[in-house]
Amino acid sequence: GRLGCTHEAIRCEDVCRNWVETPNHVAVGVNAARHSQPLAGAISVDGSPDCGSLRGCKSCSSVSGCAWCLQTRRCVTDEPWICQGEDDHVSSPDGPLQDRPGKARCPTAAELEAQRQARSERERAASTRCPWKAAGSPPPGPPPPSPESDDEGRRLLDEARMRARQRVVRASLDAVEHL
């Protein structure tokens, strides 16, 4: 059959011929950019993988052209130095590949659980050091500002905003003069 797009009519066979099944069971096609609907958010308009739409280390790093950054927990384009170093960069879920920049691997379920437990323990330790956190009350500190100091703060903030606007206008005028 034929599918209608805003710019051209294409045949299903042309689109489906290049689909592959990824580990997260999302169909990804080389010709998907010509299709009127994006395929499960995995292909961008130019035909490259839409890495930002993928969630999770394994599903991200299993797609050619995508990598998972462990520290920021984001799926990004698989390029050198896009993460916080090669030990933070997962190009392949099972570990480094010779032709890809990442040297890390996806954490196992046991490693993720150990990290969760360590975070919980740090939170418990912090709440014992800061009793107001556990009680839900605000931390001790200076008293709330008086109405007079509040008015003075607003006046100073308004003056700072005015100076910032003036700098922007001057910079814009300078840019126009240089054209």
Side-chain angles (χ1 to χ4, degrees):
R2 290 179 108 28
L3 298 173
C5 289
T6 57
H7 61 282
E8 69 177 304
I10 56 176
R11 293 185 356 209
C12 288
E13 297 84 29
D14 292 338
V15 174
C16 298
R17 176 179 42 231
N18 295 314
W19 282 12
V20 293
E21 192 70 22
T22 63
N24 61 346
H25 307 293
V26 174
V28 178
V30 173
N31 292 328
R34 294 184 352 188
H35 195 277
S36 60
Q37 295 291 321
L39 300 174
I43 296 294
S44 65
V45 175
D46 66 358
S48 62
D50 183 12
C51 302
S53 68
L54 298 170
R55 301 288 179 254
C57 184
K58 287 190 179 192
S59 61
C60 169
S61 59
S62 297
V63 174
S64 179
C66 294
W68 184 255
C69 295
L70 294 169
Q71 293 295 317
T72 58
R73 297 180 186 163
R74 290 184 318 131
C75 188
V76 296
T77 306
D78 194 10
E79 298 172 358
W81 301 108
I82 199 162
C83 295
Q84 297 176 15
E86 60 186 17
D87 293 329
D88 181 52
H89 188 122
V90 180
S91 289
S92 172
D94 300 320
L97 296 176
Q98 195 168 18
D99 61 336
R100 292 177 77 182
K103 302 297 180 219
R105 64 169 175 72
C106 290
T108 65
E111 290 169 332
L112 290 173
E113 182 57 32
Q115 290 171 359
R116 277 189 207 100
Q117 289 177 353
R119 276 193 307 274
S120 294
E121 184 56 38
R122 284 192 307 269
E123 288 173 6
R124 273 193 296 280
S127 68
T128 60
R129 287 192 307 266
C130 306
W132 62 85
K133 281 187 176 182
S137 60
S146 67
E148 298 85 39
S149 67
D150 198 31
D151 289 341
E152 176 67 14
R154 280 194 196 111
R155 185 185 64 73
L156 292 172
L157 186 58
D158 288 341
E159 288 175 5
R161 286 181 180 144
M162 181 61 73
R163 287 191 304 274
R165 282 188 197 111
Q166 290 170 347
R167 283 193 303 271
V168 169
V169 168
R170 278 195 301 269
S172 297
L173 292 173
D174 290 345
V176 169
E177 288 178 9
H178 292 295
L179 292 180

